[in-house]
Amino acid sequence: MARAAALPPSRSPPTLPLLPLLLLLLRETGAQEVQVRVLPEVRGRLGDTVELPCHLLPPAPEVQVSQVTWMRVDATGSTLNVAVFHPSYGPSFPSPKPGKERLSFVTARQSAATGQGTKTELQDATLALGGLTVEDEGNYTCEFATFPQGTGRGVTWLRAIAQPQNHAETQEVSLSLEPVPVARCVSTGGRPPARISWLSPLDGEARESQVAGSVPGTVTVTSRFTLVPLGQADGVKVTCKVEHESFEEPVLLPVILSVRYPPEVSISGYDDNWYLGRSEATLNCDVRSNPEPTGYGWSTTSGILPASAIERGHQLIIHSVDRLVNTTFICTVTNAVGTGHAEQVVLVRDTPRASTRDVGPVVWGAVGGTLLVLLLLAGGSLTFILLRMRRRRKSPGGGGDGGRGASYEAKTQAFGNGGPVYRMPTAPGPPGPDGKDEEDEEDEEEKAEKGLMLPPSPTLEDDMESQLDGSLISRRAVYV
Ligand SMILES: *[C@@H]1O[C@H](CO)[C@@H](O)[C@H](O)[C@H]1NC(C)=O
Ligand SMILES: *[C@@H]1O[C@H](CO)[C@@H](O)[C@H](O)[C@H]1NC(C)=O
């Protein structure tokens, strides 16, 4: 495949009449010197056989190849001949490393006749190297010695790569305040070393280490995803991403974190409507923990559980509510790591709350109430907007109004963050003259600030509450 790529086009496409002409020109000029085509870089996997293509260009019949030599520069800087091909004497592999056991010319053939008029076929000096090792890496020069033109050469960088094996695993940890590794990702035997990164919704840090792989020249990379393990990290998915030039795309290895933590407990089921005689009231002990809880226990602040309360695992069932239930319940949960508990104050009423027997209407009542409040707020702000708009339209000073409006807006924005702003509808600022200077504006700002700090007049307070609240929202909605 590489050889095919390295070959010159044997025939120009007929559709391009200009190209043969150009090629002809190239040949003419190129005929003066020997052109050698090689690949700039060849990558092979450790242990595999690689081919280093090398061709004489152009394949002109009148050129006599006297000899082909493959050389490499070793670590000390001296040039070694690793493979030689002579048209009459055939191949020779003078250097011990890589020696003749691992080297061969792929197509170069010794001429059948050794006498005069030998027509050399030695225009493809592609070299095959078997059992690629790390020591074979280097720059190899392919040199054609020809007559009568002389020599030409090309250099190929041979690289040995090794595809790493990857795996990732969670490292079960217990709750701590120090950062610890919670997941590990190992890329074994890569050359060059694999690049490891982590994709995570949690803020963690990758700690990487490298050791030599079992095959010489390879590297095993270990990356540990490290963070302060809190209960929230338990069950979170993080992904180890391994990148290597031998992969078409990065390898993604998901890991589910496991943090052991004592039970986080809460109690549900109390609806603030436990009354004397109510049947089937239930408290649930809700737990998050790792590992799973080993036991639940119910008690009260006084120590004893009322006779009417029955423990059933994470539930406490009260068949009939009596005065003894008027207490604070505690749920205690234990797992292998520790213990957690939660409390629930139960207030027993003499009669049912409101006039409702079941929960449904209570919930709907609550929803309705919220809606009503929202409607009031919306109505209030609408009224306010309308009032304001009318006031603005009425306000004198035409052109100046726009400018004032803008600066006013800036101020309300600045002061309006958070709490209600009391200054607004009753006190329209003194209409400043047009073209007032900066000092005036500062003055006004001060006044505005003071105005903000003043409490509203008591008569206004009650009426304004919802309006002011709403006005804050509506002002933003209108101007922003
Ligand atoms: C081979 O040559 C290239 C540039 O031509 C250089 O970047 C590379 O480091 C060389 N390789 C070795 C092993 O010397
Ligand atoms: C429950 O206790 C509270 C005080 O903690 C008390 O006000 C209330 O009357 C008690 N309810 C009953 C039914 O005894």
Side-chain angles (χ1 to χ4, degrees), residues 5-59:
L7 276 173
S10 53
R11 214 164 283 256
S12 326
T15 44
L16 291 170
L18 210 66
L19 206 58
L21 206 70
L22 285 173
L23 281 177
L24 212 65
L25 285 173
L26 268 177
R27 279 180 191 199
E28 286 302 304
T29 53
Q32 301 308 313
E33 50 191 82
V34 182
Q35 287 188 26
V36 175
R37 176 172 291 176
V38 294
L39 290 176
E41 183 181 316
V42 169
R43 288 187 288 173
R45 294 190 179 181
L46 284 175
D48 279 6
T49 296
V50 287
E51 285 190 3
L52 306 178
C54 179
H55 297 89
L56 182 64
L57 289 185

Side-chain angles (χ1 to χ4, degrees), residues 408 411-412 421-429 444 447-448 451-452 468:
Y408 177 65
K411 280 169 210 159
T412 51
V421 181
Y422 289 117
R423 176 187 165 217
M424 300 255 321
T426 45
E444 210 179 75
K447 272 182 215 154
L452 280 168
L468 289 166

Side-chain angles (χ1 to χ4, degrees), residues 112-457:
T114 48
Q116 261 101 43
T118 302
K119 235 184 133 198
T120 178
E121 301 296 328
L122 193 53
Q123 302 202 331
D124 177 353
T126 299
L127 187 69
L129 195 163
L132 183 65
T133 68
V134 173
E135 289 82 50
D136 297 331
E137 265 192 345
N139 284 311
Y140 289 75
T141 303
C142 173
E143 183 181 87
F144 272 89
T146 70
F147 186 84
Q149 285 90 348
T151 60
R153 55 175 70 92
V155 180
T156 295
W157 182 10
L158 174 61
R159 296 180 54 210
I161 62 168
Q163 188 169 57
Q165 300 291 313
N166 316 297
H167 80 274
E169 66 201 8
T170 181
Q171 302 208 276
E172 199 179 63
V173 295
S174 293
L175 209 63
S176 94
L177 294 175
E178 293 297 312
V180 292
V182 291
R184 201 166 73 111
C185 188
V186 184
S187 179
T188 308
R191 181 183 177 87
R195 290 185 304 282
I196 300 182
S197 52
W198 293 89
L199 312 172
S200 162
L202 301 171
D203 228 10
E205 184 193 330
R207 294 187 180 165
E208 195 177 285
S209 63
Q210 298 192 351
V211 294
S214 54
V215 176
T218 62
V219 177
T220 294
V221 183
T222 302
S223 177
R224 289 180 175 82
F225 189 63
T226 303
L227 49 73
V228 176
L230 301 176
Q232 294 95 297
D234 184 56
V236 170
K237 188 181 96 174
V238 300
T239 302
C240 171
K241 181 179 171 191
V242 186
E243 291 170 284
H244 193 264
E245 59 180 276
S246 65
F247 302 150
E248 272 175 24
E249 43 191 55
V251 172
L252 299 175
L253 303 164
V255 173
I256 306 291
L257 301 185
S258 174
V259 178
R260 290 156 61 90
Y261 62 100
E264 286 173 6
V265 187
S266 61
I267 295 175
S268 63
Y270 178 63
D271 60 1
D272 194 20
N273 189 26
W274 287 25
Y275 48 86
L276 289 173
R278 176 172 166 173
S279 59
E280 303 304 337
T282 304
L283 292 181
N284 298 305
C285 192
D286 305 316
V287 182
R288 256 184 56 114
S289 81
N290 180 22
E292 289 298 301
T294 49
Y296 293 86
W298 287 95
S299 58
T300 63
T301 36
S302 60
I304 7 154
L305 214 52
S308 51
I310 293 160
E311 283 184 81
R312 195 163 294 164
H314 72 285
Q315 285 193 317
L316 187 71
I317 297 164
I318 292 109
H319 286 299
S320 178
V321 173
D322 54 29
R323 282 183 204 283
L324 293 174
V325 175
N326 199 18
T327 182
T328 300
F329 288 94
I330 303 170
C331 177
T332 305
V333 185
T334 307
N335 73 353
V337 183
T339 299
H341 46 82
E343 292 185 3
Q344 176 68 58
V345 176
V346 168
L347 188 87
V348 174
R349 299 161 179 277
D350 289 318
T351 54
R353 191 175 53 162
S355 59
T356 51
R357 281 235 133 219
D358 51 351
V359 190
V362 175
V363 172
W364 282 116
V367 171
T370 313
L371 275 177
L372 192 66
V373 170
L374 282 176
L375 277 172
L376 280 173
L377 282 175
S381 28
L382 196 68
T383 318
F384 173 65
I385 294 168
L386 290 175
L387 273 173
R388 236 184 92 72
M389 279 168 82
R390 209 188 285 171
R391 199 165 291 191
R392 283 179 129 220
R393 231 175 274 139
K394 273 191 212 154
S395 90
D401 194 46
R404 269 180 8 88
S407 76
Y408 177 65
E409 162 59 12
K411 280 169 210 159
T412 51
Q413 276 298 315
F415 301 134
N417 294 334
V421 181
Y422 289 117
R423 176 187 165 217
M424 300 255 321
T426 45
D434 283 357
K436 62 191 171 211
D437 58 28
E438 275 176 27
E439 265 181 274
D440 281 343
E441 262 182 35
E442 271 172 33
D443 251 54
E444 210 179 75
E445 232 167 76
E446 259 174 40
K447 272 182 215 154
E449 236 161 10
K450 278 182 194 137
L452 280 168
M453 284 177 230
L454 287 173
S457 65

